[in-house]
């Protein structure tokens, strides 16, 4: 076949293929246009998962009558004009491709009216060609109706899934935009299934509609402003306390300049911040916006604009990780014994700024600016008990099942899991001993000889110095035999052979050096900590509780399990009918 230039009809269909994959991608483009047009209320109606019918109505700025046909031309946009504009994009759209692409594969109608005019303009397009243009009556703003999707691209239509699946993609999408723009009122009408937000700027209210009130009220607020080499990074949002987690990563929602982005490394930064707080295979709920100077990001990398490039990414990664870690360590609560809604939400209420519009909250410049800074919330009538960096002073009462230590604190009863608590204590001890290079090691009177596989030998030789730094000295002893000459003092009660093999296993799972170290510490802590089932003297319990009080993060063991739970006085009073 000779080479020839494709006619506009086919090239339009090809271009549309990139932007319009399914009903949700159409709604994404229409929502972005409405947001760019400063709408404060957007209503989306769908039928049959959006396959048969989509309508998006906004109360935004509208399009002037004479420019309406132009909006459906390829590369027609009001958002950028010069190539330098591409370097600092501040609108969601800029490619000038969405309207013509959607029109090319559907039957499309638009009615639009600028606030200052007394009539609206209606345009009807069939397969991308304008069939009708007339004046009409309509309220301010823009309404777009898309029907007969993919009627002229049967192959695409075949790829569509069931209407329920398509509807759930749309639901997820609208949810994301409503989180990024809590000041806009969103309504999704899908037959009997409706979703709506108030548009009052209250992110917690929006989250409550998506998850539930209880979860929304327990989330911890994040705010951080940091000055990087190339500009300012402002991070704001919410993240979950460790006792609320999910089994998959879908609940990490990230926005960059309020654009939802898919970015593995930023999600990883969030996960990393939870290291030591969450158990294996548990993932956080986090909703975070990163506000970056527009010239620090490149949005023009993919037609759907959900993948972006960030200059100076390391700085952004570190700032994100730090902000979440800070929220966690400063406010991570001791889980209450039963998550009674009222009691718990009361405690969390004031940690989150309900009144301020979410993304515009002024971040605290330092921890000292936080409203809760410097307060010690321990005390009989302080609703904040449970949120503090340090443990309250605890009086040991006794032990249950040779496993749990019963203590009394300023607000009721605190039950401590002795193994988890000791793990935390050892983990922090060994980590600080290592960093100050004064770790105590203990030579073994009778050195232990162990056999290693080839891969274990490899890992050992690669990480011998890490092991030595914590006091574990393992030397070759001919063939594949090795001799353990010394162990960390802390490990005196542990089984060195099992511990070493587990450390090698942990290391082989991969990760960065920080991880190897922490994993080594975890393993040592886990094997050295007193077991559940060991009865302790009062003195031993005292000692453990005092050491836990000294820890930086006393509320969780290094694996993320809680070290203690609390039964508050008010709960006791309620349970006994005193209140
Ligand atoms: P882009 O958003 O990349 O500019 P589109 O094809 O999505 O390209 O839209 C083309 C133009 O039509 C926009 O630049 C904007 O001026 C106008 N437009 C589209 N939708 C709306 C709307 N809902 N309200 C006001 N103007 C709109
Ligand atoms: Mg657009």
């Amino acid at each position: 076949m000779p080479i020839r230039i494709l006619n506009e009809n086919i090239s339009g269909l090809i271009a549309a293929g990139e932007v319009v994959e399914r009903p949700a991608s159409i709604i994404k483009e229409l929502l972005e246009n409405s947001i760019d047009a400063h709408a404060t209320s957007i209503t989306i109606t769908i039928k049959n998962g959006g396959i048969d019918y989509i309508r998006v109505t906004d109360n935004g700025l509208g399009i002037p009558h004479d420019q309406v046909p132009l909006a459906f031309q390829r590369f027609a946009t009001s958002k950028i004009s010069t190539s330098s504009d591409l370097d600092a994009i501040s609108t969601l759209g800029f490619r000038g491709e969405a309207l013509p692409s959607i029109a090319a594969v559907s039957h499309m109608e638009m009615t639009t009216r600028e606030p200052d005019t007394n009539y609206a303009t209606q345009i009807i397009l069939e397969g991308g060609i304008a069939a009708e243009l007339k004046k009409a009556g309509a309220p301010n703003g823009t309404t777009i109706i898309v029907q007969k999707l993919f009627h002229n691209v049967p192959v695409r239509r075949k790829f569509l899934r069931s209407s329920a699946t398509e509807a759930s993609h749309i639901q997820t999408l609208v949810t994301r935009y409503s989180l990024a723009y809590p000041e806009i009122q969103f309504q999704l009408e899908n037959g009997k299934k409706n979703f709506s937000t108030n548009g009052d700027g209250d992110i917690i209210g929006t989250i409550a509609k998506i998850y539930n009130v209880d979860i929304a009220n327990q989330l911890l607020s994040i705010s951080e402003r940091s000055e990087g080499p190339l500009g300012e990074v402002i991070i704001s949002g919410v993240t979950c306390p460790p006792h609320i987690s999910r089994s998959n990563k879908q609940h990490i929602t990230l926005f960059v300049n309020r654009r939802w982005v898919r970015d593995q490394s930023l999600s990883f930064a969030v996960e990393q911040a939870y290291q030591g707080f969450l158990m294996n295979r548990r993932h956080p709920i986090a909703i975070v916006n990163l506000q970056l100077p527009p010239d620090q990001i490149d949005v023009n990398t993919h037609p759907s604009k959900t993948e972006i490039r960030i200059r100076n990414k390391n700085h952004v990664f570190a700032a994100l990780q730090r902000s979440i870690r800070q929220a966690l360590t400063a406010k991570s609560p001791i889980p209450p014994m039963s998550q009674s809604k009222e009691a718990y939400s009361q405690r969390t209420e004031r940690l989150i700024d309900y009144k301020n519009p979410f993304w515009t909250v002024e971040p605290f410049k330092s921890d000292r600016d936080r409203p809760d800074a410097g307060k010690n919330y321990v005390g009989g009538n302080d609703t904040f008990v449970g949120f503090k960096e340090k443990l309250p002073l605890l009086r040991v009462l006794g032990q249950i099942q040779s496993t749990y230590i019963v203590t009394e604190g300023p607000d009721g009863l605190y039950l401590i899991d002795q193994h988890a608590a000791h793990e935390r204590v050892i983990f922090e001890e060994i980590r600080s001993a290592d960093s100050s290079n004064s770790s105590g090691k203990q030579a073994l009177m009778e050195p232990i000889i162990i056999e290693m596989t080839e891969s274990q030998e490899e890992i050992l030789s690669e990480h011998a110095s890490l092991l030595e730094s914590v006091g574990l000295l393992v030397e070759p002893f001919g063939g594949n035999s090795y001799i353990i000459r010394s162990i960390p003092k802390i490990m005196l009660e542990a089984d060195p052979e099992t511990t070493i093999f587990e450390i090698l296993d942990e290391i082989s799972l991969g990760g960065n050096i920080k991880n190897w170290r922490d994993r080594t510490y975890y393993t040592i802590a886990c094997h050295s900590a007193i077991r559940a089932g060991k009865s302790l003297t009062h003195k031993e319990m005292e000692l453990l509780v005092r050491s836990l009080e000294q820890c930086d993060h006393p509320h969780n063991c290094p694996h993320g399990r809680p070290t203690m739970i609390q039964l508050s006085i008010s709960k006791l009073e309620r349970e006994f009918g005193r209140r």
Side-chain angles (χ1 to χ4, degrees):
M1 242 198 318
I3 301 176
R4 65 187 141 208
I5 293 180
L6 293 173
N7 69 32
E8 245 181 66
N9 186 18
I10 305 179
S11 61
L13 288 178
I14 293 174
E18 284 191 321
V19 180
V20 187
E21 190 194 342
R22 57 183 352 142
S25 35
I26 293 181
I27 293 179
K28 173 182 182 295
E29 294 298 333
L30 299 182
L31 289 185
E32 291 192 348
N33 281 345
S34 298
I35 295 169
D36 283 343
H38 304 292
T40 56
S41 170
I42 305 174
T43 303
I44 304 119
T45 309
I46 56 171
K47 289 183 189 156
N48 190 23
I51 301 167
D52 290 348
Y53 182 90
I54 292 171
R55 188 181 65 206
V56 176
T57 297
D58 69 48
N59 63 351
L61 298 174
I63 305 176
H65 177 79
D66 56 336
Q67 293 196 359
V68 170
L70 201 57
F72 291 87
Q73 302 272 317
R74 281 188 67 202
F75 305 124
T77 179
S78 58
K79 300 173 192 175
I80 57 169
S81 58
T82 63
S83 66
S84 62
D85 290 343
L86 268 184
D87 293 337
I89 289 166
S90 57
T91 47
L92 292 168
F94 59 91
R95 301 173 62 99
E97 279 186 316
L99 294 185
S101 298
I102 300 166
V105 293
S106 70
H107 170 96
M108 194 167 177
E109 258 177 74
M110 176 199 265
T111 310
T112 182
R113 178 175 156 190
E114 284 187 293
D116 288 337
T117 50
N118 47 16
Y119 61 90
T121 308
Q122 188 177 49
I123 185 169
I124 298 176
L125 301 104
E126 287 284 358
I129 315 283
E132 218 180 309
L133 180 74
K134 59 179 186 201
K135 292 185 179 172
N140 290 343
T142 303
T143 294
I144 290 180
I145 298 176
V146 179
Q147 296 177 89
K148 296 200 224 161
L149 179 59
F150 297 142
H151 67 94
N152 50 350
V153 220
V155 60
R156 261 293 150 98
R157 214 181 151 91
K158 276 190 214 137
F159 277 101
L160 291 177
R161 309 283 295 277
S162 70
S163 69
T165 307
E166 295 301 338
S168 87
H169 282 286
I170 294 169
Q171 170 81 32
T172 308
L173 176 94
V174 175
T175 307
R176 281 184 194 135
Y177 278 92
S178 64
L179 286 169
Y181 291 88
E183 76 278 26
I184 296 179
Q185 182 183 35
F186 288 89
Q187 273 192 73
L188 172 60
E189 297 167 347
N190 174 23
K192 286 196 186 121
K193 288 193 200 149
N194 296 325
F195 168 80
S196 66
T197 63
N198 297 337
D200 59 3
D202 173 14
I203 181 82
I204 299 299
T206 308
I207 295 172
K209 296 207 164 172
I210 298 165
Y211 292 95
N212 60 49
V213 178
D214 207 27
I215 289 187
N217 281 342
Q218 293 184 54
L219 296 178
L220 311 169
S221 59
I222 308 165
S223 57
E224 149 129 3
R225 184 193 291 258
S226 69
E227 219 24 85
L230 294 168
E232 191 175 49
V233 179
I234 301 174
I235 298 175
S236 57
V238 290
T239 200
C240 65
H243 67 275
I244 299 176
S245 61
R246 287 289 179 271
S247 57
N248 65 55
K249 298 181 188 177
Q250 308 302 321
H251 301 269
I252 301 176
T253 306
L254 296 172
F255 305 100
V256 171
N257 296 357
R258 304 225 271 174
R259 180 192 299 280
W260 178 76
V261 293
R262 201 193 304 270
D263 188 304
Q264 285 203 350
S265 72
L266 293 181
S267 300
F268 186 62
V270 176
E271 297 255 9
Q272 281 255 302
Y274 276 83
Q275 229 197 7
F277 281 95
L278 285 186
M279 285 189 245
N280 276 348
R281 289 189 286 277
R282 299 299 297 178
H283 305 276
I285 299 175
I287 298 150
V288 183
N289 181 54
L290 297 117
Q291 200 66 37
L292 309 178
D295 62 353
Q296 293 305 304
I297 59 176
D298 185 0
V299 194
N300 191 18
T301 59
H302 192 269
S304 72
K305 299 164 290 179
T306 52
E307 277 151 42
I308 57 166
R309 279 194 217 110
I310 300 178
R311 298 186 188 113
N312 206 16
K313 184 128 182 208
N314 287 347
H315 172 69
V316 176
F317 184 99
L320 175 59
Q321 196 183 23
R322 193 171 53 239
S323 66
I324 293 194
R325 191 86 190 169
Q326 246 163 29
L328 270 175
T329 53
K331 296 170 185 167
S332 187
I334 301 169
M337 249 174 225
S338 92
Q339 304 211 352
S340 137
K341 250 183 214 164
E342 326 80 68
Y344 207 52
S345 56
Q346 255 177 27
R347 278 202 296 268
T348 45
E349 198 161 46
R350 285 169 50 201
L351 290 176
I352 295 163
D353 197 344
Y354 286 89
K355 294 293 163 282
N356 273 318
F358 184 47
W359 303 120
T360 50
V361 170
E362 247 318 84
F364 308 119
K365 291 191 189 67
S366 82
D367 263 7
R368 264 171 300 149
D369 297 340
R370 291 175 188 275
D372 49 353
K375 295 214 181 98
N376 182 2
Y377 296 116
V378 180
N381 50 9
D382 185 333
T383 48
F384 268 73
V385 165
F387 288 91
K388 53 203 158 295
E389 294 172 43
K390 291 284 172 200
L391 290 185
L393 270 184
L394 298 173
R395 186 166 72 89
V396 174
L397 301 176
Q399 197 186 20
I400 309 178
Q401 287 249 309
S402 303
T403 300
Y404 306 105
I405 302 172
V406 189
T407 67
E408 187 196 2
D411 185 36
L413 188 73
Y414 295 73
L415 274 183
I416 298 176
D417 178 314
Q418 66 194 40
H419 177 71
H422 199 205
E423 266 186 335
R424 167 53 71 187
V425 170
I426 296 180
F427 177 72
E428 292 201 7
E429 257 175 35
I430 197 166
R431 194 167 53 178
S432 64
D434 176 39
S435 54
S436 67
N437 241 339
S438 62
S439 95
K441 64 176 169 185
Q442 173 80 43
L444 290 179
M445 301 288 269
E446 283 178 43
I448 303 172
I449 293 167
I450 54 176
E451 308 263 302
M452 293 214 194
T453 65
E454 236 171 75
S455 65
Q456 284 171 330
E457 283 184 85
E458 234 170 74
I459 299 167
L460 179 72
S461 68
E462 217 177 302
H463 300 287
S465 62
L466 164 63
L467 296 180
E468 217 181 315
S469 72
V470 293
L472 256 175
L473 191 60
V474 185
E475 288 175 347
F477 196 62
N480 55 358
S481 297
Y482 284 78
I483 187 164
I484 308 178
R485 292 206 181 276
S486 78
I487 57 171
K489 269 205 187 111
I490 222 131
M491 236 174 80
L492 273 179
E493 303 227 352
D495 168 4
E497 186 171 344
T498 322
T499 312
I500 285 179
F501 284 138
E502 281 202 12
I503 291 173
L504 296 179
D505 268 0
E506 289 284 346
I507 292 177
S508 70
L509 290 177
N512 56 34
I513 292 192
K514 180 107 189 40
N515 272 337
W516 293 334
R517 262 179 201 282
D518 277 0
R519 282 179 183 162
T520 304
Y521 301 153
Y522 291 164
T523 316
I524 293 175
C526 180
H527 284 272
S528 318
I530 43 168
R531 305 266 135 204
K534 184 173 193 296
S535 48
L536 301 176
T537 64
H538 197 85
K539 232 193 160 94
E540 285 170 325
M541 290 190 272
E542 281 274 339
L543 194 68
L544 178 55
V545 172
R546 296 290 92 83
S547 317
L548 189 63
E549 281 167 8
Q550 303 304 315
C551 287
D552 289 339
H553 307 304
H555 301 151
N556 299 87
C557 83
H559 300 287
R561 283 203 300 123
T563 52
M564 61 170 62
I565 55 175
Q566 182 203 6
L567 181 59
S568 68
I569 306 259
S570 56
K571 169 87 176 149
L572 275 172
E573 284 175 342
R574 268 201 309 276
E575 294 292 322
F576 283 111
R578 284 176 177 276
R579 265 208 231 175

